Amino acid sequence: MSTLLLNLDFGEPPPKKALEGNAKHRNFVKKRRLLEQRGFLSKKNQPPSKVPKLHSEPPKKGETPRVDGTWKTRSFPKKKTAASSNGSGQTLDKKAAVSWVTPAPSKKADSVTAKVDLLGEFQSALPKISSHPTQSQKKDLQKKSSKKNHPQKNAPQNSTQSHSENKCSRAFQKLPQKMVAIDCEMVGTGPKGHVSSLARCSIVNYDGDVLYDEYILPPCQIVDYRTRWSGIRKQHMVNATPFKIARGQILKMLTGKIVVGHAIHNDFKALQYFHPKSLTRDTSHIPPLNRKADCPENATVSLKLLTKKLLNRDIQAGKSGHSSVEDAQATMELYKLVEVEWEEHLVQNPPKD
């Protein structure tokens, strides 16, 4: 029997596991490259390829990838691409691209990943900053600052009293500079002379010095001069100042100042003027002044009687009539007797205008 010679090749077939492993690896690399392009992962440094590097010409259309997934002659120049250097403008076919080969990233992807990497490095280099205080911590800080800046509520009342006294003393220091006294004399105009019209006005300062003293010509015809009380005579009206001019001069002197007078509402009525109540001091309605003169507090006492009792001086005497300068000076002197007491009363009980 002739011998049979069998030439059998017992070479092992390619393991299936290796092929399956390559497919899993390719899927993994696909996902990783996609995440790297979108900036979710930092790029992994690829180990150098075992394939020998050839010249940097782009792959031809007929070339196919190797089994291990790399091109035969794939290389990337640093500055210029092969397409720009050759001027051909050829690009790789998307179907022929292999998943684990790093494609040329676009400018937008590079900028995004670069910004992410730089931001991470910058934040890691910064020193750690303490967190912002919470709302409760802010409230505690505000309470501490308020305790430092504001005194305690249970402070003694002496501090408030001293503060009010200091306030009053400062106000008293400013009063003499802004205080004047006024007195006016009127004549009768209109039907039967029953209308009181301004015929003389005198203004003195805190020390009694005369600031203004003029005879004033009423706008209407004078019917009764009332000489017995006003001291006005016909010759006083020859060179008298017209009412409109005199009124403007007087109001300039009274504006913004404390005006003292006796039954001063009559003077303001003759001037056709209204002065703020907070800046008006009427000696006919000051109870402390009446008490000093041993008169009823709510009574309206004449200027002549108050001057006689408190200043021991006679005014408005004789048949020649009143002097508006003398009356204004007497009014200021009477007010000085109760100035401190009355001003403290007005500070605690300010009059309403």
Side-chain angles (χ1 to χ4, degrees):
M1 177 182 274
S2 61
T3 58
L4 297 174
L5 297 175
L6 298 175
N7 188 8
L8 298 175
D9 188 1
F10 294 98
E12 294 181 357
K16 294 183 180 180
K17 291 184 180 180
L19 296 175
E20 291 177 357
N22 291 337
K24 289 182 180 179
H25 183 66
R26 284 195 297 271
N27 291 332
F28 170 75
V29 173
K30 265 187 185 178
K31 293 178 181 180
R32 182 175 182 84
R33 291 293 176 260
L34 182 62
L35 292 175
E36 286 177 357
Q37 288 178 5
R38 294 184 179 180
F40 293 106
L41 291 175
S42 58
K43 291 186 178 181
K44 186 176 180 181
N45 295 329
Q46 296 291 337
S49 178
K50 296 180 180 181
V51 181
K53 293 182 180 180
L54 301 177
H55 56 82
S56 59
E57 292 181 358
K60 298 179 182 179
K61 291 183 179 179
E63 288 182 345
T64 56
R66 293 183 179 178
V67 178
D68 57 355
T70 58
W71 294 98
K72 293 181 180 180
T73 58
R74 182 65 175 173
S75 63
F76 296 96
K78 292 182 180 179
K79 294 183 179 180
K80 295 183 179 180
T81 59
S84 62
S85 60
N86 296 331
S88 59
Q90 295 178 355
T91 55
L92 291 173
D93 189 2
K94 291 183 180 179
K95 294 181 180 179
V98 182
S99 60
W100 60 84
V101 177
T102 305
S106 63
K107 292 182 179 179
K108 291 184 180 179
D110 286 341
S111 62
V112 171
T113 53
K115 286 180 182 178
V116 172
D117 294 337
L118 287 173
L119 182 61
E121 293 178 0
F122 180 72
Q123 289 178 350
S124 61
L126 285 175
K128 292 184 179 180
I129 301 173
S130 59
S131 61
H132 295 286
T134 60
Q135 292 183 354
S136 60
Q137 292 176 353
K138 287 181 179 179
K139 289 181 180 179
D140 295 337
L141 293 173
Q142 290 177 357
K143 288 180 181 179
K144 291 180 181 179
S145 62
S146 63
K147 287 181 181 179
K148 290 181 181 179
N149 295 331
H150 300 286
Q152 296 180 356
K153 292 183 179 179
N154 297 326
Q157 296 180 356
N158 294 331
S159 60
T160 58
Q161 292 177 356
S162 61
H163 178 69
S164 62
E165 290 176 357
N166 293 333
K167 188 177 180 180
C168 292
S169 62
R170 290 176 185 173
F172 297 154
Q173 291 176 0
K174 296 179 180 180
L175 285 179
Q177 298 177 358
K178 294 186 176 182
M179 187 176 291
V180 294
I182 188 174
D183 188 75
C184 298
E185 303 296 341
M186 275 72 79
V187 294
T189 60
K192 297 182 181 182
H194 292 308
V195 179
S196 296
S197 298
L198 184 64
R200 185 182 179 184
C201 181
S202 299
I203 300 174
V204 299
N205 62 9
Y206 187 79
D207 298 324
D209 301 327
V210 179
L211 301 176
Y212 184 88
D213 183 27
E214 292 289 339
Y215 290 101
I216 299 166
L217 181 64
C220 302
Q221 185 179 0
I222 299 173
V223 177
D224 185 4
Y225 283 93
R226 303 177 185 177
T227 305
R228 182 179 176 185
W229 297 277
S230 66
I232 305 297
R233 290 174 172 82
K234 190 175 182 178
Q235 61 267 24
H236 294 147
M237 298 292 103
V238 175
N239 296 319
T241 306
F243 175 76
K244 288 184 178 180
I245 297 173
R247 182 177 180 274
Q249 295 171 349
I250 294 166
L251 297 189
K252 282 183 180 179
M253 301 181 71
L254 301 183
T255 303
K257 294 183 180 179
I258 297 174
V259 182
V260 182
H262 194 83
I264 198 171
H265 60 279
N266 294 324
D267 300 330
F268 290 152
K269 185 178 180 181
L271 283 166
Q272 300 176 7
Y273 171 66
F274 176 81
H275 198 68
K277 290 183 179 179
S278 58
L279 299 176
T280 303
R281 308 290 184 266
D282 192 346
T283 53
S284 66
H285 296 289
I286 297 180
L289 196 61
N290 288 4
R291 284 198 301 267
K292 284 182 177 289
D294 295 328
C295 297
E297 291 186 359
N298 297 326
T300 302
V301 185
S302 66
L303 180 62
K304 183 177 181 178
L305 182 59
L306 289 174
T307 306
K308 181 63 177 177
K309 285 191 173 185
L310 298 176
L311 301 178
N312 196 21
R313 188 168 74 225
D314 292 326
I315 61 171
Q316 301 175 355
K319 295 181 181 180
S320 59
H322 303 176
S323 170
S324 56
V325 174
E326 186 181 42
D327 291 352
Q329 291 172 342
T331 304
M332 182 62 80
E333 290 181 27
L334 289 172
Y335 183 72
K336 286 181 180 180
L337 298 176
V338 293
E339 178 185 0
V340 176
E341 183 181 355
W342 190 242
E343 290 297 333
E344 287 180 355
H345 171 77
L346 293 178
V347 169
Q348 296 174 0
N349 303 289
K352 296 180 181 179
D353 293 333

